[in-house]
Amino acid sequence: MLALREQCIVFGDRELVDMKRRAVGEANAAMTANRIIVFLVFVSGISVAVIGTWLSQYLRGSMKELPDHNYRHVFFPLPSEGTLNVYDDGTLDVALPRNELDYQLEIKNSAATIAEALTSLHLALEMKLSGKQKRAIKLFQHAVALAPRHPDVLNHYGEFLEHTQNNVIKANEYYVRALSYQPNHEGALINSQRTARVVEELDRRMLRRIDEKRNALAAIPDNNAALIRAKKEAYFQHIYHTVGIEGNTMNLAQTRAIVETRTAVAGKSIDEHNEILGLDAAMKYINATLVNRVGSISIKDILEIHRRVLGHVDPVQGGQFRRTQVYVGGHVPPGPGDIHYLMEEFALWLNSERAIRMHPVRYAALAHYKLVHIHPFSDGNGRTSRLLMNMILMQAGYPPVIIHKQHRHTYYENLQIANTGDVRPFVRFIAECTEQTLDLFLWATSEFSRQVPALSQDTLFTERHNTIALEDMNDFNAD
């Protein structure tokens, strides 16, 4: 019995061993089959690729004879004609790509223009020596118009302004401009260094005068009836001039009616109405939330201002950074991919101790310029920058600065000069506007005043040669 049991166990072990051997054999066969399949797939893939490449080359050769529009999408940014023959100053003049003859002709014309400018300059110097100042200044201006980047022309015109017209500030601006185009220009360098201290002292005097006027306005009680009327009138004036700088054609009465009654004006576009409503909303937002707030100015604050500026005109773009490239006259702002980084850098500067310790007028003007230079939005950059500037000024006790629409040329000209490296003329322009706004408030609250004077009158910058001090001329670039 025991022997039979042992024999069964032996037979069972053999059967188990045979089963294991069969299983291993089947697994090896399966692995071999898989390898063969992978190899066949790999060879098939190579064959398909080779055949595909051959067919592609064959088809390309065949399709060369087909019309282009049958197989690809074409984008035409301009009409098929080579040149757009337009003569309106507000349009773009586009020509065919210039060949070598065109290029040589351009160089010849440029050389001829500079030669004419230098001839005008020599005549101007002769008129200056002979005491014919009126003729001299016209010739100098003609030379500058022909060659606005020629250092000799700029330096000599600066000397004329300094010694004959007694305009040291403007002369210094021309010296600095000449150095921006030729840093080692000996005459401009000497003249710039000589006049720099005089200009800085005149800057400081103007700042002190502005501060005195701000303090005088601050001494007037808030419940003063004349001050209340002046604030209300200045509010309408500010909206009217700010949108007017951008080309809005509403007059002051129409602007007032839209803000007060929300009544539409016949014959005016919807966008012009919405620009006024948007600026009104942005100013009310600043007045209600930002002016009295203690703390830093954030990117979100700027976006919220812009959201209201553009909210009625373009709600989709309002409060959003642009996603496309824009062009502003001769200035090409940074690409859309750099906007977030540049705005973060701007916010750091805006809240830095160095910026906050500046005089408020200078701080506000630089904030305005820096933001509009970045041009972070597809539309509404100027209005948002001016609102940011006025928010900073209001936080420092100044009334919102009114930039006259009649002086938009001077405004944009100074912005353009700032793009060349000298931001001082723009800061001085903002200082002039600040002082005039203060003068209007003080006049309106004086004892014998009857009404706020019309800000549309061309009274700005008449016989004024004041400046704003920038202790470090490279301050903007350093920041």
Side-chain angles (χ1 to χ4, degrees):
M1 212 41 203
L2 180 60
L4 181 61
R5 185 178 299 172
E6 290 176 354
Q7 188 176 7
C8 290
I9 291 173
V10 169
F11 284 140
D13 290 340
R14 287 178 179 176
E15 185 177 358
L16 180 62
V17 169
D18 292 337
M19 291 176 62
K20 289 183 177 179
R21 287 176 178 176
R22 285 196 297 271
V24 170
E26 292 174 358
N28 290 335
M31 291 177 63
T32 302
N34 289 337
R35 290 174 180 173
I36 293 172
I37 292 172
V38 170
F39 176 77
L40 291 174
V41 171
F42 177 75
V43 171
S44 299
I46 293 176
S47 301
V48 171
V50 171
I51 293 172
T53 302
W54 180 81
L55 286 174
S56 174
Q57 292 176 349
Y58 175 79
L59 290 173
R60 286 178 184 175
S62 301
M63 291 179 69
K64 285 181 180 179
E65 299 177 359
L66 297 176
D68 286 351
H69 62 269
N70 285 342
Y71 69 95
R72 65 188 178 93
H73 175 71
V74 179
F75 178 74
F76 293 102
L78 292 174
S80 57
E81 290 78 15
T83 305
L84 296 180
N85 294 317
V86 290
Y87 301 96
D88 182 10
D89 290 338
T91 57
L92 183 66
D93 187 5
V94 181
L96 283 168
R98 60 186 180 183
N99 54 31
E100 184 64 24
L101 181 62
D102 295 331
Y103 182 70
Q104 294 297 333
L105 182 60
E106 181 178 324
I107 293 177
K108 182 178 179 180
N109 291 336
S110 177
T113 301
I114 293 176
E116 183 181 350
L118 293 177
T119 300
S120 181
L121 173 64
H122 293 316
L123 290 173
L125 293 173
E126 290 179 5
M127 294 296 106
K128 175 185 174 183
L129 292 175
S130 61
K132 299 176 181 179
Q133 305 301 333
K134 290 183 179 181
R135 291 187 180 181
I137 195 169
K138 290 182 179 180
L139 289 166
F140 273 120
Q141 291 172 347
H142 181 62
V144 172
L146 290 173
R149 297 185 178 185
H150 198 288
D152 290 336
V153 172
L154 296 171
N155 182 59
H156 281 297
Y157 185 41
E159 291 175 343
F160 174 80
L161 292 173
E162 179 186 358
H163 301 299
T164 306
Q165 305 295 311
N166 296 321
N167 192 341
V168 181
I169 292 120
K170 203 66 181 177
N172 180 263
E173 291 178 8
Y174 277 97
Y175 299 148
V176 172
R177 203 181 306 179
L179 290 173
S180 68
Y181 298 118
Q182 186 177 335
N184 60 347
H185 192 282
E186 184 177 358
L189 189 62
I190 295 173
N191 290 331
S192 175
Q193 292 174 347
R194 186 187 68 256
T195 56
R197 292 189 178 183
V198 177
V199 170
E200 289 177 3
E201 179 56 31
L202 291 173
D203 289 340
R204 294 189 181 93
R205 290 180 187 177
M206 185 180 188
L207 288 175
R208 287 193 294 266
R209 186 171 63 250
I210 290 175
D211 287 341
E212 290 171 359
K213 293 179 179 181
R214 178 199 59 181
N215 296 338
L217 181 62
I220 301 173
D222 291 336
N223 60 356
N224 181 283
L227 180 61
I228 294 173
R229 288 194 299 271
K231 284 183 177 181
K232 185 176 181 180
E233 178 66 19
Y235 185 83
F236 297 128
Q237 296 276 2
H238 181 268
I239 295 177
Y240 162 67
H241 286 286
T242 296
V243 298
I245 288 175
E246 308 293 337
N248 194 296
T249 62
M250 295 281 187
N251 61 35
L252 180 59
Q254 292 167 338
T255 302
R256 184 196 302 269
I258 292 171
V259 173
E260 287 188 319
T261 68
R262 297 299 197 262
T263 302
V265 177
K268 298 296 182 179
S269 68
I270 295 175
D271 282 349
E272 288 186 308
H273 286 79
N274 288 334
E275 286 171 359
I276 293 171
L277 294 175
L279 198 67
D280 175 49
M283 290 182 69
K284 287 177 178 175
Y285 168 74
I286 291 172
N287 187 66
T289 62
L290 299 180
V291 171
N292 294 321
R293 193 184 69 183
V294 177
S296 61
I297 303 171
S298 66
I299 295 178
K300 182 181 177 182
D301 295 330
I302 298 173
L303 291 174
E304 288 298 327
I305 293 172
H306 183 260
R307 189 189 311 280
R308 287 156 178 81
V309 167
L310 224 61
H312 291 79
V313 178
D314 191 350
V316 176
Q317 294 296 329
Q320 301 292 328
F321 292 140
R322 58 181 168 87
R323 297 180 179 85
T324 57
Q325 183 63 54
V326 293
Y327 304 91
V328 188
H331 171 56
V332 180
D338 298 325
I339 296 299
H340 287 274
Y341 167 75
L342 292 173
M343 287 300 294
E344 289 175 359
E345 290 290 310
F346 174 62
L348 289 175
W349 173 85
L350 199 61
N351 299 293
S352 66
E353 183 179 357
R354 181 180 183 183
I356 295 172
R357 291 179 63 182
M358 293 179 185
H359 189 280
V361 172
R362 181 189 177 204
Y363 175 36
L366 286 176
H368 177 178
Y369 172 68
K370 283 174 177 280
L371 182 59
V372 82
H373 186 268
I374 297 172
H375 225 74
F377 308 111
S378 59
D379 188 22
N381 293 277
R383 282 163 281 170
T384 303
S385 298
R386 291 190 289 276
L387 286 168
L388 174 64
M389 174 186 72
N390 278 328
M391 182 189 76
I392 293 172
L393 289 172
M394 286 189 288
Q395 287 178 338
Y398 297 88
V401 169
I402 300 170
I403 301 176
H404 288 199
K405 61 181 291 185
Q406 286 83 358
H407 299 100
R408 67 190 303 272
H409 174 73
T410 305
Y411 171 66
Y412 287 122
E413 182 183 30
N414 285 317
L415 283 172
Q416 189 174 7
I417 292 172
N419 288 337
T420 65
D422 189 5
V423 76
R424 298 175 307 161
F426 179 72
V427 179
R428 290 163 186 158
F429 174 81
I430 297 302
E432 293 273 4
C433 297
T434 304
E435 185 170 15
Q436 193 209 27
T437 303
L438 285 166
D439 288 340
L440 291 168
F441 271 93
L442 293 173
W443 184 89
T445 54
S446 62
E447 184 177 357
F448 299 104
S449 66
R450 290 292 180 268
Q451 62 181 356
V452 177
L455 300 186
S456 60
Q457 294 176 353
D458 194 8
T459 57
L460 191 60
F461 312 134
T462 54
E463 297 183 359
R464 281 188 181 178
H465 303 298
N466 303 313
T467 64
I468 285 300
L470 296 182
E471 288 77 15
D472 182 4
M473 289 178 56
N474 295 320
D475 178 66
F476 171 75
N477 294 326
D479 293 327

